[in-house]
């Protein structure tokens, strides 16, 4: 409540509940580089995607003349992490790691901090269980429910932040071509829920060895051009991490030599 997260700049202020969708992807070579190089630093692909998102939001706001202090991003718990072994998978738990400007000055240091802080939140049992929360909310009266919603909006807790889903690998037919009658599946993309409190959400998934990125946004907040440009900026930051990880890999090799 005392240090609310910076809001993502948007160019509209309508009230429509409509949502729109745009998408992009990274090829298999780029994904493989991120996967291999991040492991050397004790991080994961999810950590890289999250760190790149912090950088993208900061750049986006700066391009529009808006400084960013605290940035908070809501992400589901990556149950593949060692620290997540005590998280019950069907509880749909989330964490909301935050960074300050001094954390975002360097790509690699930001990646390490994101990985450490996310792991620390999970180890301390501070994951936010969506199932438990919605059950709690359903037991309240309408007046109490409205009060909780107002509190969330005033403090910007999980509201106006960005939801970035963790990477999931979609496997259909063990590499064989999948057919539905006379049709065949050539592509799969994830779409976030059409009813959402967020102005912008990103869902990621791996299909056919490519990392797919789907951006759902509210046209009442973001124009189509702005939403597409934001996704392009995010891709630029992910690719910047490919270069940063490659430089770190070369430095490690030089040190061993």
């Amino acid at each position: 409540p005392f240090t609310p997260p910076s809001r993502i700049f948007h160019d509209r202020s309508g009230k429509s509940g409509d949502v729109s969708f745009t998408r992009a992807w990274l090829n298999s070579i780029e994904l493989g580089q991120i996967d291999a190089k991040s492991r050397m630093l004790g991080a994961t692909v999810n950590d890289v995607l999250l760190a790149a998102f912090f950088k993208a939001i900061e750049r986006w706001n700066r391009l529009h003349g808006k400084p960013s202090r605290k940035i908070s991003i809501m992400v589901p718990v990556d149950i593949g992490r060692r620290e997540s072994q005590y998280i019950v998978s069907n509880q749909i738990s989330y964490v909301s790691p935050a960074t300050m400007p001094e954390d975002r000055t360097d790509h690699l240091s930001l990646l390490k901090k994101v990985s450490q802080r996310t792991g620390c939140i999970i180890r301390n049992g501070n994951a936010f269980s969506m199932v438990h929360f919605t059950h709690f909310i359903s037991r309240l009266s309408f007046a109490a429910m409205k009060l909780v919603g107002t509190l969330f909006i005033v403090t910007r807790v999980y509201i106006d932040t960005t939801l970035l889903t963790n990477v999931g690998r979609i496997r259909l037919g063990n590499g064989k071509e999948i057919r539905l009658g006379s049709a065949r599946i050539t592509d799969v993309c994830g779409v976030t829920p059409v009813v959402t409190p967020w102005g912008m959400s990103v869902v990621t998934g791996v299909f056919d060895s490519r990392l797919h990125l789907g951006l759902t946004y509210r046209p009442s907040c973001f124009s189509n051009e702005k939403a597409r440009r934001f996704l392009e900026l995010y891709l630029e930051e992910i690719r910047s991490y490919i270069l940063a990880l490659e430089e770190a890999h070369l430095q490690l090799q030089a040190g061993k030599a």
Side-chain angles (χ1 to χ4, degrees), residues 40 246-257:
M40 297 183 60
E246 180 62 30
E247 291 178 1
H249 174 61
L250 293 175
Q251 290 176 0
L252 285 174
Q253 286 185 326
K256 292 179 180 179

Side-chain angles (χ1 to χ4, degrees), residues 213-234:
L213 304 167
L215 173 67
T216 298
Y217 63 95
R218 290 183 178 275
S220 59
C221 295
F222 300 90
S223 65
N224 295 337
E225 180 183 356
K226 290 288 186 181
R228 184 64 199 174
R229 177 55 188 143
F230 183 89
L231 187 57
E232 291 173 353
L233 187 68
Y234 180 37

Side-chain angles (χ1 to χ4, degrees), residues 176-242:
K176 298 180 180 179
E177 188 178 78
I178 302 300
R179 288 191 172 274
L180 295 174
S182 60
R184 62 189 179 90
I185 297 176
T186 60
D187 198 5
V188 173
C189 63
V191 181
T192 52
V194 296
V195 178
T196 172
W198 298 280
M200 180 184 291
S201 303
V202 172
V203 59
T204 64
V206 177
F207 175 69
D208 196 20
S209 301
R210 295 195 303 178
L211 175 65
H212 294 253
L213 304 167
L215 173 67
T216 298
Y217 63 95
R218 290 183 178 275
S220 59
C221 295
F222 300 90
S223 65
N224 295 337
E225 180 183 356
K226 290 288 186 181
R228 184 64 199 174
R229 177 55 188 143
F230 183 89
L231 187 57
E232 291 173 353
L233 187 68
Y234 180 37
L235 280 172
E236 290 176 12
E237 287 299 330
I238 294 175
R239 291 188 170 112
S240 294
Y241 262 100
I242 295 177

